[in-house]
């Protein structure tokens, strides 16, 4: 068993996922950057390796069972455990200014669920035994205020529903893991990434603060909650 803490970040090729990977590696974690495009994810890992960070890139499309199964084998064979899992990979398949629940097709909702909700579910179940092998595992589900039922607005039904369901997964897993593995949802705020767009309010370093906070909670930290900037949100 490896003593160093092992973290895995999905959707690590760019945006919040890449920055979270870098931040955790700078804190001393060995980080597995997971993403689509074999060459691209390895190239992103190389950027961090040139900074003397302990990282590895691994190709995996989280919508594919066979890819996720290979990811599980890779982590099991190389590390034997997982201390931090950041379920960050996500898609936003609806158009700003044009989206309405009345015109969104079931196909768009289904495709968004396939990554944001079922992708998270698939990765969690594949890696759950490895998380249980850690003494203090943390799972961060990168959710969104757009999935908050108490603040639910119109438009973007695919994205909203997928994140509400992701939040439900947070509660379900937190209950079943009990004290062994902490599972929390976080909202990073509206961040300037490819998804958030140039008009977003927050920089990437601001956006990852809450993710890193939840990934590095102390042993007596919370589980089964929804947070932004370390502050509890209503569901
Ligand atoms: N930016 C915001 O304002 C904001 C606000 C709230 C929540 N979030 C959440 O934060 C997370 C990261 O978003 P971001 O803003 O950093 O967006 P981003 O720049 O678009 O990055 C999303 C990442 O997810 C990857 N991805 C998508 N589908 C995947 C799949 N099937 N398998 C593996 N990787 C996949 C993308 O890879 P490809 O290049 O291969 O597509 C990309 O690397 C998302 O879950 C998003 O919903 C963002």
């Amino acid at each position: 068993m490896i003593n160093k803490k092992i973290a895995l970040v999905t959707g690590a090729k760019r945006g919040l996922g890449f920055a979270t990977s870098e931040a955790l590696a700078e804190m001393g974690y060995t980080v597995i950057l997971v993403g689509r495009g074999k060459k691209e994810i390895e190239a992103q890992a190389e950027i961090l390796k040139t900074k003397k960070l302990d990282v590895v890139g691994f190709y995996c499309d989280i919508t594919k069972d066979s890819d996720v199964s290979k990811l599980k084998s890779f982590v099991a064979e190389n590390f034997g455990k997982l201390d931090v899992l950041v379920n960050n990979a996500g898609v936003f398949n609806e158009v700003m200014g044009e989206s309405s629940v009345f015109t969104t097709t079931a196909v768009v909702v289904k495709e968004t669920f396939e990554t944001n909700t079922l992708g998270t579910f698939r990765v969690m179940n594949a890696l759950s035994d490895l998380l249980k092998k850690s003494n203090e595992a943390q799972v961060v589900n990168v959710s969104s205020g757009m999935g908050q039922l108490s603040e639910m607005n119109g438009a973007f039904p695919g994205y909203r529903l997928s994140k509400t369901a992701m939040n439900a997964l947070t509660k379900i897993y937190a209950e079943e893991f009990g004290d062994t593995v902490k599972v929390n949802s976080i909202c990073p705020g509206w961040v300037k990434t490819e998804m958030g767009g140039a008009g977003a309010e927050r920089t990437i370093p601001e956006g990852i603060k809450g993710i890193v906070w939840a990934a590095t909670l102390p042993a007596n930290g919370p589980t089964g909650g929804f947070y932004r900037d370390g502050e509890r949100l209503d569901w």
Side-chain angles (χ1 to χ4, degrees):
M1 176 83 71
I2 292 173
N3 284 332
K4 211 172 157 188
K5 288 206 168 185
I6 313 298
L8 187 153
V9 181
T10 65
K13 214 161 73 185
R14 61 167 189 262
L16 295 168
F18 181 70
T20 299
S21 302
E22 182 168 17
L24 291 174
E26 279 171 348
M27 293 169 82
Y29 288 79
T30 298
V31 182
I32 307 162
L33 282 78
V34 171
R36 292 190 292 194
K38 191 167 162 39
K39 281 190 184 151
E40 288 107 307
I41 195 66
E42 283 173 2
Q44 291 305 91
E46 278 308 316
I47 293 172
L48 300 185
K49 282 182 195 169
T50 60
K51 297 184 179 179
K52 307 267 182 262
L53 296 174
D54 185 10
V55 302
V56 59
F58 193 85
Y59 166 85
C60 174
D61 180 337
I62 65 163
T63 66
K64 297 201 165 73
D65 284 328
S66 57
D67 281 7
V68 174
S69 170
K70 284 177 196 153
L71 177 64
K72 175 187 179 174
S73 302
F74 174 78
V75 180
E77 283 159 22
N78 289 281
F79 304 104
K81 64 157 186 172
L82 187 61
D83 301 291
V84 170
L85 168 61
V86 182
N87 287 307
N88 166 81
V91 295
F92 188 98
N93 292 336
E94 290 146 300
V95 181
M96 274 303 163
E98 288 178 21
S99 174
S100 161
V101 73
F102 301 118
T103 53
T104 303
T105 63
V107 171
V108 166
V109 177
K110 209 166 143 187
E111 282 174 1
T112 310
F113 256 75
E114 196 53 60
T115 301
N116 297 3
T117 314
L118 297 178
T120 300
F121 176 62
R122 204 175 272 115
V123 170
M124 285 289 275
N125 273 358
L127 300 179
S128 60
D129 285 346
L130 290 159
L131 287 163
K132 286 178 192 165
K133 287 192 176 154
S134 163
N135 293 329
E136 251 185 82
Q138 320 278 356
V139 177
V140 186
N141 286 334
V142 184
S143 182
S144 166
M146 289 177 76
Q148 203 176 356
L149 276 174
S150 51
E151 303 267 328
M152 194 58 72
N153 286 312
F156 315 113
Y159 188 75
R160 288 185 188 283
L161 288 165
S162 74
K163 294 296 189 180
T164 306
M166 181 196 234
N167 285 348
L169 283 179
T170 295
K171 293 279 288 180
I172 295 167
Y173 278 108
E175 279 295 319
E176 291 217 23
F177 274 127
D179 287 336
T180 57
V181 180
K182 293 189 199 318
V183 188
N184 291 292
S185 278
I186 73 95
C187 169
W190 186 22
V191 188
K192 291 184 218 303
T193 61
E194 200 163 308
M195 185 185 291
E201 292 160 350
R202 294 183 172 199
T203 62
I204 290 178
E206 288 168 338
I208 66 163
K209 268 189 195 162
I211 302 177
V212 172
W213 170 81
T216 57
L217 285 168
N220 63 352
T223 187
F226 188 21
Y227 296 87
R228 183 186 295 124
D229 300 328
E231 302 286 327
R232 187 78 193 241
L233 294 174
D234 289 331
W235 292 106

